[in-house]
C-alpha cells in the first residue's frame, strides 16, 4: 500500500517593503517637549486608529524634486549607505512632502523655489515663498515592517525642530486629531505602536545630545 501523501501549500513569501520616509517634529513648550502626531483613520488599511508621525511611501517624482535640494553632508553619508545619494535626497524630500500633505506643515526656508515637478506639494512651497529645506533634517533610525504584515515599509525616520516650521495644522484624510502632544501624554495616553515609541525615544535622545 502506497504511503498517504499529505499536501501543504508552499509558504507565502513576505511582501516586499516599499521605501518610505517619516518626520518626527519636536518642539519645547513650557519646559515640556512636544511631538507632532496624528491618528490614522479606522478605515486605513495600514495601522488603523493608531497615532503616528507624518510620513509615507517614496514616490517616483520625489527623485526629480530632490535633485536640487542639499542634505547635510553627515546625514547624506549615513543615508547613502543603503541606496546611494540620489535615494537619500529623495527620502528626505519625501518626509517633507508627506508632512505637508498630511498636516499642512512646511519645513522650508525663505526663498524662490523653482521646482522641476509641478505637484501639489511643490506648488504649496512656491506659493508660500519657501524652498524645502532638507538641510534642517537629521536622520535618526531605519525600521522595516515585520515580515508577517501584508503591507510593509522600509522607513527612514528623520527629525527636525518644530519651532522652524511654517504653515497651519489642517486635518486631512490621511491623519485625524493632528496636534502637538507632550511626550508624557504620547507615551501614557495615546495608542501607538512599539516602533513609534522607540523612534520617539531615539529622537529625544538625539535632540538632547545636540544641546
Amino acid at each position: 500500500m502506497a504511503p498517504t501523501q499529505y499536501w501543504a501549500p508552499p509558504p507565502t513569501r513576505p511582501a516586499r517593503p516599499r521605501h518610505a520616509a517619516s518626520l518626527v517634529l519636536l518642539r519645547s513648550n513650557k519646559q515640556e517637549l512636544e511631538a507632532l502626531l496624528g491618528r490614522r483613520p479606522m478605515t486605513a488599511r495600514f495601522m488603523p486608529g493608531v497615532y503616528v508621525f507624518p510620513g509615507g511611501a517614496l514616490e517616483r517624482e520625489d527623485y526629480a524634486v530632490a535633485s536640487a535640494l542639499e542634505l547635510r553632508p553627515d546625514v547624506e553619508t549615513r543615508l547613502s549607505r543603503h541606496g546611494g545619494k540620489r535615494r537619500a535626497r529623495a527620502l528626505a524630500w519625501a518626509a517633507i512632502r508627506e508632512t505637508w500633505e498630511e498636516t499642512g506643515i512646511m519645513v522650508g526656508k525663505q526663498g524662490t523655489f523653482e521646482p522641476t515637478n509641478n505637484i501639489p506639494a511643490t506648488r504649496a512651497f512656491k506659493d508660500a515663498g519657501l524652498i524645502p529645506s532638507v538641510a534642517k533634517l537629521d536622520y535618526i533610525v531605519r525600521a522595516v515592517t515585520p515580515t508577517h504584515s501584508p503591507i510593509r515599509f522600509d522607513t527612514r525616520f528623520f527629525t527636525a525642530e518644530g519651532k522652524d516650521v511654517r504653515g497651519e495644522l489642517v486635518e486631512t484624510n490621511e491623519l485625524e486629531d493632528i496636534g502637538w502632544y507632550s511626550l508624557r501624554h504620547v507615551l501614557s495616553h495615546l495608542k501607538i505602536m512599539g516602533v513609534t515609541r522607540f523612534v520617539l525615544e531615539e529622537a529625544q535622545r538625539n535632540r538632547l545630545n545636540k544641546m
Side-chain angles (χ1 to χ4, degrees), residues 15 40 73 88 103 139 155 169 175 202:
R40 292 184 58 77
T103 72
Y139 170 52
T155 306
L169 286 176
L175 292 179
E202 287 296 308

Side-chain angles (χ1 to χ4, degrees), residues 147-169:
T147 56
H148 60 74
S149 176
I151 302 174
R152 302 182 66 212
F153 295 99
D154 182 351
T155 306
R156 279 68 161 188
F157 287 89
F158 298 86
T159 186
E161 281 290 330
K163 64 180 176 60
D164 293 337
V165 302
R166 308 287 185 91
E168 299 293 330
L169 286 176

Side-chain angles (χ1 to χ4, degrees), residues 39-50 151 173-174 176:
R39 184 181 62 232
R40 292 184 58 77
M42 291 303 298
T43 55
R45 292 178 59 220
F46 188 68
M47 297 196 300
V50 174
I151 302 174
N173 59 2
E174 297 281 348
E176 304 167 340

Side-chain angles (χ1 to χ4, degrees), residues 40-119:
R40 292 184 58 77
M42 291 303 298
T43 55
R45 292 178 59 220
F46 188 68
M47 297 196 300
V50 174
Y51 282 81
V52 296
F53 309 113
L58 182 66
E59 304 292 348
R60 181 185 296 180
E61 61 266 21
D62 291 332
Y63 288 91
V65 176
S67 63
L69 306 177
E70 296 289 337
L71 277 167
R72 274 174 32 194
D74 62 309
V75 172
E76 185 169 83
T77 297
R78 284 183 286 135
L79 270 174
S80 298
R81 290 171 186 162
H82 303 281
K85 292 183 178 181
R86 188 165 173 264
R87 182 183 293 166
R89 294 185 182 190
L91 285 164
W93 158 246
I96 290 176
R97 172 182 57 76
E98 287 283 346
T99 297
W100 173 78
E101 290 177 351
E102 295 184 347
T103 72
I105 292 296
M106 291 183 279
V107 180
K109 60 183 180 181
Q110 209 70 37
T112 302
F113 184 40
E114 297 297 340
T116 55
N117 281 39
N118 183 27
I119 59 175

